[in-house]
PDB file of all heavy atoms in Angstrom:
ATOM      1  N   GLY A   1       0.782  -1.225   0.000  1.00 91.00           N
ATOM      2  CA  GLY A   1       0.000   0.000   0.000  1.00 91.00           C
ATOM      3  C   GLY A   1       0.815   1.276   0.000  1.00 91.00           C
ATOM      4  O   GLY A   1       0.529   2.202  -0.764  1.00 91.00           O
ATOM      5  N   PRO A   2       1.867   1.376   0.852  1.00 92.00           N
ATOM      6  CA  PRO A   2       2.633   2.631   0.882  1.00 92.00           C
ATOM      7  C   PRO A   2       3.224   3.010  -0.482  1.00 92.00           C
ATOM      8  O   PRO A   2       3.379   4.193  -0.784  1.00 92.00           O
ATOM      9  CB  PRO A   2       3.736   2.353   1.903  1.00 92.00           C
ATOM     10  CG  PRO A   2       3.150   1.310   2.797  1.00 92.00           C
ATOM     11  CD  PRO A   2       2.288   0.455   1.902  1.00 92.00           C
ATOM     12  N   TRP A   3       3.532   2.034  -1.314  1.00 91.00           N
ATOM     13  CA  TRP A   3       4.086   2.313  -2.643  1.00 91.00           C
ATOM     14  C   TRP A   3       3.031   2.895  -3.573  1.00 91.00           C
ATOM     15  O   TRP A   3       3.358   3.509  -4.577  1.00 91.00           O
ATOM     16  CB  TRP A   3       4.644   1.055  -3.282  1.00 91.00           C
ATOM     17  CG  TRP A   3       5.815   0.437  -2.589  1.00 91.00           C
ATOM     18  CD1 TRP A   3       6.452   0.878  -1.465  1.00 91.00           C
ATOM     19  CD2 TRP A   3       6.487  -0.746  -2.987  1.00 91.00           C
ATOM     20  NE1 TRP A   3       7.470   0.042  -1.133  1.00 91.00           N
ATOM     21  CE2 TRP A   3       7.523  -0.972  -2.056  1.00 91.00           C
ATOM     22  CE3 TRP A   3       6.314  -1.647  -4.027  1.00 91.00           C
ATOM     23  CZ2 TRP A   3       8.382  -2.060  -2.136  1.00 91.00           C
ATOM     24  CZ3 TRP A   3       7.176  -2.730  -4.112  1.00 91.00           C
ATOM     25  CH2 TRP A   3       8.202  -2.927  -3.183  1.00 91.00           C
ATOM     26  N   ARG A   4       1.757   2.673  -3.245  1.00 90.00           N
ATOM     27  CA  ARG A   4       0.675   3.103  -4.135  1.00 90.00           C
ATOM     28  C   ARG A   4      -0.052   4.334  -3.629  1.00 90.00           C
ATOM     29  O   ARG A   4      -1.011   4.786  -4.250  1.00 90.00           O
ATOM     30  CB  ARG A   4      -0.335   1.953  -4.304  1.00 90.00           C
ATOM     31  CG  ARG A   4       0.281   0.755  -5.005  1.00 90.00           C
ATOM     32  CD  ARG A   4      -0.770  -0.287  -5.316  1.00 90.00           C
ATOM     33  NE  ARG A   4      -1.609   0.143  -6.424  1.00 90.00           N
ATOM     34  CZ  ARG A   4      -2.927   0.229  -6.356  1.00 90.00           C
ATOM     35  NH1 ARG A   4      -3.577  -0.052  -5.270  1.00 90.00           N
ATOM     36  NH2 ARG A   4      -3.605   0.630  -7.416  1.00 90.00           N
ATOM     37  N   ALA A   5       0.364   4.870  -2.498  1.00 88.00           N
ATOM     38  CA  ALA A   5      -0.325   6.038  -1.936  1.00 88.00           C
ATOM     39  C   ALA A   5      -0.141   7.242  -2.861  1.00 88.00           C
ATOM     40  O   ALA A   5       0.958   7.517  -3.322  1.00 88.00           O
ATOM     41  CB  ALA A   5       0.236   6.355  -0.553  1.00 88.00           C
ATOM     42  N   PRO A   6      -1.236   7.951  -3.149  1.00 84.00           N
ATOM     43  CA  PRO A   6      -1.113   9.171  -3.951  1.00 84.00           C
ATOM     44  C   PRO A   6      -0.164  10.160  -3.259  1.00 84.00           C
ATOM     45  O   PRO A   6       0.008  10.138  -2.038  1.00 84.00           O
ATOM     46  CB  PRO A   6      -2.538   9.723  -3.998  1.00 84.00           C
ATOM     47  CG  PRO A   6      -3.408   8.524  -3.753  1.00 84.00           C
ATOM     48  CD  PRO A   6      -2.626   7.645  -2.811  1.00 84.00           C
ATOM     49  N   ALA A   7       0.424  11.040  -4.018  1.00 82.00           N
ATOM     50  CA  ALA A   7       1.453  11.961  -3.517  1.00 82.00           C
ATOM     51  C   ALA A   7       0.999  12.794  -2.327  1.00 82.00           C
ATOM     52  O   ALA A   7       1.793  13.087  -1.445  1.00 82.00           O
ATOM     53  CB  ALA A   7       1.913  12.862  -4.653  1.00 82.00           C
ATOM     54  N   ASP A   8      -0.265  13.176  -2.268  1.00 87.00           N
ATOM     55  CA  ASP A   8      -0.734  14.081  -1.210  1.00 87.00           C
ATOM     56  C   ASP A   8      -1.383  13.355  -0.037  1.00 87.00           C
ATOM     57  O   ASP A   8      -2.117  13.975   0.738  1.00 87.00           O
ATOM     58  CB  ASP A   8      -1.738  15.081  -1.792  1.00 87.00           C
ATOM     59  CG  ASP A   8      -1.113  15.960  -2.855  1.00 87.00           C
ATOM     60  OD1 ASP A   8       0.129  16.117  -2.837  1.00 87.00           O
ATOM     61  OD2 ASP A   8      -1.850  16.469  -3.713  1.00 87.00           O
ATOM     62  N   THR A   9      -1.133  12.049   0.129  1.00 88.00           N
ATOM     63  CA  THR A   9      -1.750  11.295   1.224  1.00 88.00           C
ATOM     64  C   THR A   9      -0.667  10.577   2.021  1.00 88.00           C
ATOM     65  O   THR A   9       0.426  10.317   1.518  1.00 88.00           O
ATOM     66  CB  THR A   9      -2.754  10.253   0.694  1.00 88.00           C
ATOM     67  OG1 THR A   9      -2.045   9.325  -0.131  1.00 88.00           O
ATOM     68  CG2 THR A   9      -3.869  10.889  -0.097  1.00 88.00           C
ATOM     69  N   PRO A  10      -0.983  10.245   3.282  1.00 92.00           N
ATOM     70  CA  PRO A  10      -0.016   9.490   4.088  1.00 92.00           C
ATOM     71  C   PRO A  10       0.232   8.104   3.450  1.00 92.00           C
ATOM     72  O   PRO A  10      -0.702   7.492   2.913  1.00 92.00           O
ATOM     73  CB  PRO A  10      -0.710   9.330   5.444  1.00 92.00           C
ATOM     74  CG  PRO A  10      -1.782  10.366   5.469  1.00 92.00           C
ATOM     75  CD  PRO A  10      -2.182  10.591   4.041  1.00 92.00           C
ATOM     76  N   PRO A  11       1.477   7.609   3.488  1.00 89.00           N
ATOM     77  CA  PRO A  11       1.783   6.297   2.899  1.00 89.00           C
ATOM     78  C   PRO A  11       0.886   5.164   3.409  1.00 89.00           C
ATOM     79  O   PRO A  11       0.524   4.267   2.648  1.00 89.00           O
ATOM     80  CB  PRO A  11       3.239   6.058   3.300  1.00 89.00           C
ATOM     81  CG  PRO A  11       3.803   7.426   3.488  1.00 89.00           C
ATOM     82  CD  PRO A  11       2.662   8.256   4.019  1.00 89.00           C
ATOM     83  N   ALA A  12       0.466   5.247   4.682  1.00 92.00           N
ATOM     84  CA  ALA A  12      -0.382   4.189   5.237  1.00 92.00           C
ATOM     85  C   ALA A  12      -1.764   4.150   4.593  1.00 92.00           C
ATOM     86  O   ALA A  12      -2.492   3.160   4.737  1.00 92.00           O
ATOM     87  CB  ALA A  12      -0.521   4.358   6.750  1.00 92.00           C
ATOM     88  N   ASP A  13      -2.151   5.217   3.887  1.00 92.00           N
ATOM     89  CA  ASP A  13      -3.457   5.250   3.231  1.00 92.00           C
ATOM     90  C   ASP A  13      -3.435   4.588   1.853  1.00 92.00           C
ATOM     91  O   ASP A  13      -4.474   4.491   1.193  1.00 92.00           O
ATOM     92  CB  ASP A  13      -3.955   6.694   3.091  1.00 92.00           C
ATOM     93  CG  ASP A  13      -4.397   7.284   4.424  1.00 92.00           C
ATOM     94  OD1 ASP A  13      -4.433   6.536   5.427  1.00 92.00           O
ATOM     95  OD2 ASP A  13      -4.696   8.497   4.457  1.00 92.00           O
ATOM     96  N   GLY A  14      -2.266   4.155   1.400  1.00 90.00           N
ATOM     97  CA  GLY A  14      -2.183   3.465   0.117  1.00 90.00           C
ATOM     98  C   GLY A  14      -2.824   2.084   0.208  1.00 90.00           C
ATOM     99  O   GLY A  14      -2.809   1.446   1.258  1.00 90.00           O
ATOM    100  N   VAL A  15      -3.403   1.634  -0.879  1.00 92.00           N
ATOM    101  CA  VAL A  15      -4.081   0.339  -0.918  1.00 92.00           C
ATOM    102  C   VAL A  15      -3.197  -0.658  -1.679  1.00 92.00           C
ATOM    103  O   VAL A  15      -2.818  -0.407  -2.819  1.00 92.00           O
ATOM    104  CB  VAL A  15      -5.462   0.470  -1.613  1.00 92.00           C
ATOM    105  CG1 VAL A  15      -6.141  -0.876  -1.709  1.00 92.00           C
ATOM    106  CG2 VAL A  15      -6.325   1.470  -0.873  1.00 92.00           C
ATOM    107  N   PRO A  16      -2.857  -1.791  -1.047  1.00 93.00           N
ATOM    108  CA  PRO A  16      -2.005  -2.772  -1.728  1.00 93.00           C
ATOM    109  C   PRO A  16      -2.711  -3.428  -2.910  1.00 93.00           C
ATOM    110  O   PRO A  16      -3.941  -3.412  -3.000  1.00 93.00           O
ATOM    111  CB  PRO A  16      -1.691  -3.797  -0.640  1.00 93.00           C
ATOM    112  CG  PRO A  16      -2.773  -3.655   0.361  1.00 93.00           C
ATOM    113  CD  PRO A  16      -3.264  -2.231   0.273  1.00 93.00           C
ATOM    114  N   THR A  17      -1.919  -3.971  -3.809  1.00 93.00           N
ATOM    115  CA  THR A  17      -2.462  -4.691  -4.965  1.00 93.00           C
ATOM    116  C   THR A  17      -1.424  -5.704  -5.425  1.00 93.00           C
ATOM    117  O   THR A  17      -0.368  -5.842  -4.818  1.00 93.00           O
ATOM    118  CB  THR A  17      -2.838  -3.717  -6.107  1.00 93.00           C
ATOM    119  OG1 THR A  17      -3.633  -4.413  -7.065  1.00 93.00           O
ATOM    120  CG2 THR A  17      -1.604  -3.151  -6.796  1.00 93.00           C
ATOM    121  N   SER A  18      -1.725  -6.371  -6.490  1.00 93.00           N
ATOM    122  CA  SER A  18      -0.770  -7.259  -7.145  1.00 93.00           C
ATOM    123  C   SER A  18      -0.650  -6.824  -8.596  1.00 93.00           C
ATOM    124  O   SER A  18      -1.624  -6.388  -9.203  1.00 93.00           O
ATOM    125  CB  SER A  18      -1.264  -8.709  -7.112  1.00 93.00           C
ATOM    126  OG  SER A  18      -1.235  -9.201  -5.805  1.00 93.00           O
ATOM    127  N   TYR A  19       0.547  -6.948  -9.142  1.00 93.00           N
ATOM    128  CA  TYR A  19       0.766  -6.800 -10.579  1.00 93.00           C
ATOM    129  C   TYR A  19       0.876  -8.206 -11.133  1.00 93.00           C
ATOM    130  O   TYR A  19       1.560  -9.052 -10.545  1.00 93.00           O
ATOM    131  CB  TYR A  19       2.063  -6.057 -10.871  1.00 93.00           C
ATOM    132  CG  TYR A  19       2.019  -4.571 -10.640  1.00 93.00           C
ATOM    133  CD1 TYR A  19       3.171  -3.831 -10.746  1.00 93.00           C
ATOM    134  CD2 TYR A  19       0.850  -3.892 -10.337  1.00 93.00           C
ATOM    135  CE1 TYR A  19       3.169  -2.460 -10.564  1.00 93.00           C
ATOM    136  CE2 TYR A  19       0.828  -2.536 -10.155  1.00 93.00           C
ATOM    137  CZ  TYR A  19       1.996  -1.819 -10.260  1.00 93.00           C
ATOM    138  OH  TYR A  19       1.976  -0.463 -10.077  1.00 93.00           O
ATOM    139  N   TYR A  20       0.208  -8.465 -12.250  1.00 92.00           N
ATOM    140  CA  TYR A  20       0.290  -9.810 -12.810  1.00 92.00           C
ATOM    141  C   TYR A  20      -0.054  -9.837 -14.286  1.00 92.00           C
ATOM    142  O   TYR A  20      -0.665  -8.918 -14.816  1.00 92.00           O
ATOM    143  CB  TYR A  20      -0.614 -10.780 -12.053  1.00 92.00           C
ATOM    144  CG  TYR A  20      -2.084 -10.440 -12.118  1.00 92.00           C
ATOM    145  CD1 TYR A  20      -2.875 -10.883 -13.170  1.00 92.00           C
ATOM    146  CD2 TYR A  20      -2.679  -9.683 -11.118  1.00 92.00           C
ATOM    147  CE1 TYR A  20      -4.219 -10.568 -13.228  1.00 92.00           C
ATOM    148  CE2 TYR A  20      -4.020  -9.370 -11.166  1.00 92.00           C
ATOM    149  CZ  TYR A  20      -4.788  -9.811 -12.227  1.00 92.00           C
ATOM    150  OH  TYR A  20      -6.111  -9.497 -12.282  1.00 92.00           O
ATOM    151  N   SER A  21       0.378 -10.920 -14.886  1.00 89.00           N
ATOM    152  CA  SER A  21       0.025 -11.263 -16.264  1.00 89.00           C
ATOM    153  C   SER A  21      -0.554 -12.666 -16.210  1.00 89.00           C
ATOM    154  O   SER A  21       0.042 -13.553 -15.612  1.00 89.00           O
ATOM    155  CB  SER A  21       1.265 -11.302 -17.161  1.00 89.00           C
ATOM    156  OG  SER A  21       1.973 -10.114 -17.082  1.00 89.00           O
ATOM    157  N   ALA A  22      -1.690 -12.851 -16.828  1.00 91.00           N
ATOM    158  CA  ALA A  22      -2.302 -14.172 -16.869  1.00 91.00           C
ATOM    159  C   ALA A  22      -2.827 -14.428 -18.276  1.00 91.00           C
ATOM    160  O   ALA A  22      -3.502 -13.570 -18.848  1.00 91.00           O
ATOM    161  CB  ALA A  22      -3.447 -14.271 -15.861  1.00 91.00           C
ATOM    162  N   VAL A  23      -2.475 -15.564 -18.827  1.00 92.00           N
ATOM    163  CA  VAL A  23      -2.915 -15.915 -20.170  1.00 92.00           C
ATOM    164  C   VAL A  23      -3.438 -17.342 -20.145  1.00 92.00           C
ATOM    165  O   VAL A  23      -2.795 -18.239 -19.598  1.00 92.00           O
ATOM    166  CB  VAL A  23      -1.757 -15.802 -21.195  1.00 92.00           C
ATOM    167  CG1 VAL A  23      -2.240 -16.156 -22.593  1.00 92.00           C
ATOM    168  CG2 VAL A  23      -1.159 -14.407 -21.177  1.00 92.00           C
ATOM    169  N   ARG A  24      -4.615 -17.531 -20.725  1.00 95.00           N
ATOM    170  CA  ARG A  24      -5.196 -18.877 -20.834  1.00 95.00           C
ATOM    171  C   ARG A  24      -5.415 -19.167 -22.309  1.00 95.00           C
ATOM    172  O   ARG A  24      -6.016 -18.372 -23.032  1.00 95.00           O
ATOM    173  CB  ARG A  24      -6.515 -18.964 -20.085  1.00 95.00           C
ATOM    174  CG  ARG A  24      -7.090 -20.381 -20.112  1.00 95.00           C
ATOM    175  CD  ARG A  24      -8.421 -20.455 -19.421  1.00 95.00           C
ATOM    176  NE  ARG A  24      -9.425 -19.935 -20.335  1.00 95.00           N
ATOM    177  CZ  ARG A  24     -10.637 -19.558 -19.975  1.00 95.00           C
ATOM    178  NH1 ARG A  24     -10.991 -19.598 -18.722  1.00 95.00           N
ATOM    179  NH2 ARG A  24     -11.497 -19.127 -20.862  1.00 95.00           N
ATOM    180  N   PHE A  25      -4.897 -20.308 -22.737  1.00 95.00           N
ATOM    181  CA  PHE A  25      -5.069 -20.747 -24.115  1.00 95.00           C
ATOM    182  C   PHE A  25      -6.037 -21.915 -24.147  1.00 95.00           C
ATOM    183  O   PHE A  25      -5.962 -22.800 -23.307  1.00 95.00           O
ATOM    184  CB  PHE A  25      -3.740 -21.257 -24.704  1.00 95.00           C
ATOM    185  CG  PHE A  25      -2.694 -20.204 -24.825  1.00 95.00           C
ATOM    186  CD1 PHE A  25      -1.743 -20.028 -23.842  1.00 95.00           C
ATOM    187  CD2 PHE A  25      -2.656 -19.388 -25.944  1.00 95.00           C
ATOM    188  CE1 PHE A  25      -0.765 -19.062 -23.960  1.00 95.00           C
ATOM    189  CE2 PHE A  25      -1.674 -18.413 -26.067  1.00 95.00           C
ATOM    190  CZ  PHE A  25      -0.730 -18.257 -25.070  1.00 95.00           C
ATOM    191  N   THR A  26      -6.932 -21.931 -25.104  1.00 97.00           N
ATOM    192  CA  THR A  26      -7.738 -23.107 -25.402  1.00 97.00           C
ATOM    193  C   THR A  26      -7.152 -23.673 -26.686  1.00 97.00           C
ATOM    194  O   THR A  26      -6.935 -22.938 -27.660  1.00 97.00           O
ATOM    195  CB  THR A  26      -9.215 -22.737 -25.612  1.00 97.00           C
ATOM    196  OG1 THR A  26      -9.687 -22.058 -24.429  1.00 97.00           O
ATOM    197  CG2 THR A  26     -10.066 -23.963 -25.878  1.00 97.00           C
ATOM    198  N   CYS A  27      -6.854 -24.970 -26.651  1.00 97.00           N
ATOM    199  CA  CYS A  27      -6.147 -25.587 -27.774  1.00 97.00           C
ATOM    200  C   CYS A  27      -6.822 -26.877 -28.208  1.00 97.00           C
ATOM    201  O   CYS A  27      -7.501 -27.533 -27.427  1.00 97.00           O
ATOM    202  CB  CYS A  27      -4.713 -25.930 -27.374  1.00 97.00           C
ATOM    203  SG  CYS A  27      -3.753 -24.547 -26.791  1.00 97.00           S
ATOM    204  N   ARG A  28      -6.591 -27.233 -29.459  1.00 98.00           N
ATOM    205  CA  ARG A  28      -6.952 -28.544 -29.983  1.00 98.00           C
ATOM    206  C   ARG A  28      -5.633 -29.312 -30.067  1.00 98.00           C
ATOM    207  O   ARG A  28      -4.696 -28.876 -30.738  1.00 98.00           O
ATOM    208  CB  ARG A  28      -7.598 -28.428 -31.353  1.00 98.00           C
ATOM    209  CG  ARG A  28      -8.048 -29.761 -31.921  1.00 98.00           C
ATOM    210  CD  ARG A  28      -8.934 -29.598 -33.153  1.00 98.00           C
ATOM    211  NE  ARG A  28     -10.220 -29.018 -32.763  1.00 98.00           N
ATOM    212  CZ  ARG A  28     -10.628 -27.788 -33.093  1.00 98.00           C
ATOM    213  NH1 ARG A  28      -9.874 -27.005 -33.813  1.00 98.00           N
ATOM    214  NH2 ARG A  28     -11.803 -27.335 -32.703  1.00 98.00           N
ATOM    215  N   ALA A  29      -5.550 -30.433 -29.366  1.00 97.00           N
ATOM    216  CA  ALA A  29      -4.308 -31.206 -29.295  1.00 97.00           C
ATOM    217  C   ALA A  29      -4.288 -32.310 -30.348  1.00 97.00           C
ATOM    218  O   ALA A  29      -5.301 -32.960 -30.598  1.00 97.00           O
ATOM    219  CB  ALA A  29      -4.155 -31.819 -27.908  1.00 97.00           C
ATOM    220  N   HIS A  30      -3.119 -32.484 -30.938  1.00 96.00           N
ATOM    221  CA  HIS A  30      -2.892 -33.563 -31.907  1.00 96.00           C
ATOM    222  C   HIS A  30      -1.715 -34.386 -31.412  1.00 96.00           C
ATOM    223  O   HIS A  30      -0.620 -33.842 -31.204  1.00 96.00           O
ATOM    224  CB  HIS A  30      -2.582 -32.996 -33.299  1.00 96.00           C
ATOM    225  CG  HIS A  30      -3.634 -32.069 -33.805  1.00 96.00           C
ATOM    226  ND1 HIS A  30      -4.775 -32.512 -34.424  1.00 96.00           N
ATOM    227  CD2 HIS A  30      -3.729 -30.721 -33.754  1.00 96.00           C
ATOM    228  CE1 HIS A  30      -5.523 -31.472 -34.748  1.00 96.00           C
ATOM    229  NE2 HIS A  30      -4.916 -30.371 -34.343  1.00 96.00           N
ATOM    230  N   VAL A  31      -1.936 -35.667 -31.206  1.00 97.00           N
ATOM    231  CA  VAL A  31      -0.884 -36.547 -30.718  1.00 97.00           C
ATOM    232  C   VAL A  31       0.131 -36.782 -31.835  1.00 97.00           C
ATOM    233  O   VAL A  31      -0.233 -37.025 -32.985  1.00 97.00           O
ATOM    234  CB  VAL A  31      -1.478 -37.897 -30.237  1.00 97.00           C
ATOM    235  CG1 VAL A  31      -0.377 -38.864 -29.836  1.00 97.00           C
ATOM    236  CG2 VAL A  31      -2.442 -37.653 -29.081  1.00 97.00           C
ATOM    237  N   VAL A  32       1.408 -36.716 -31.470  1.00 96.00           N
ATOM    238  CA  VAL A  32       2.495 -36.958 -32.410  1.00 96.00           C
ATOM    239  C   VAL A  32       3.170 -38.261 -32.003  1.00 96.00           C
ATOM    240  O   VAL A  32       3.789 -38.334 -30.951  1.00 96.00           O
ATOM    241  CB  VAL A  32       3.522 -35.798 -32.384  1.00 96.00           C
ATOM    242  CG1 VAL A  32       4.697 -36.093 -33.302  1.00 96.00           C
ATOM    243  CG2 VAL A  32       2.846 -34.486 -32.746  1.00 96.00           C
ATOM    244  N   ASP A  33       3.001 -39.300 -32.813  1.00 94.00           N
ATOM    245  CA  ASP A  33       3.598 -40.599 -32.516  1.00 94.00           C
ATOM    246  C   ASP A  33       4.664 -41.018 -33.517  1.00 94.00           C
ATOM    247  O   ASP A  33       5.462 -41.899 -33.225  1.00 94.00           O
ATOM    248  CB  ASP A  33       2.515 -41.689 -32.459  1.00 94.00           C
ATOM    249  CG  ASP A  33       1.888 -41.805 -31.081  1.00 94.00           C
ATOM    250  OD1 ASP A  33       2.567 -41.479 -30.086  1.00 94.00           O
ATOM    251  OD2 ASP A  33       0.729 -42.216 -30.992  1.00 94.00           O
ATOM    252  N   ASP A  34       4.691 -40.418 -34.697  1.00 95.00           N
ATOM    253  CA  ASP A  34       5.676 -40.779 -35.698  1.00 95.00           C
ATOM    254  C   ASP A  34       7.070 -40.447 -35.174  1.00 95.00           C
ATOM    255  O   ASP A  34       7.326 -39.315 -34.728  1.00 95.00           O
ATOM    256  CB  ASP A  34       5.412 -40.006 -36.997  1.00 95.00           C
ATOM    257  CG  ASP A  34       6.466 -40.303 -38.041  1.00 95.00           C
ATOM    258  OD1 ASP A  34       6.418 -41.407 -38.619  1.00 95.00           O
ATOM    259  OD2 ASP A  34       7.338 -39.420 -38.248  1.00 95.00           O
TER     260      ASP A  34
END
């Protein structure tokens, strides 16, 4: 939270969060046996 507090507010008033990347693929699978 302190890292996200706006400039004109006390650091303790900042709200924590997470930064992330999430990707989901839907695929059609083909078995390779050769």
Side-chain angles (χ1 to χ4, degrees):
W3 295 359
R4 295 187 74 236
D8 298 337
T9 62
D13 287 354
V15 178
T17 193
S18 291
Y19 285 174
Y20 62 86
S21 306
V23 181
R24 184 182 79 197
F25 295 95
T26 303
C27 303
R28 182 169 291 111
H30 304 277
V31 175
V32 177
D33 273 332
D34 177 75

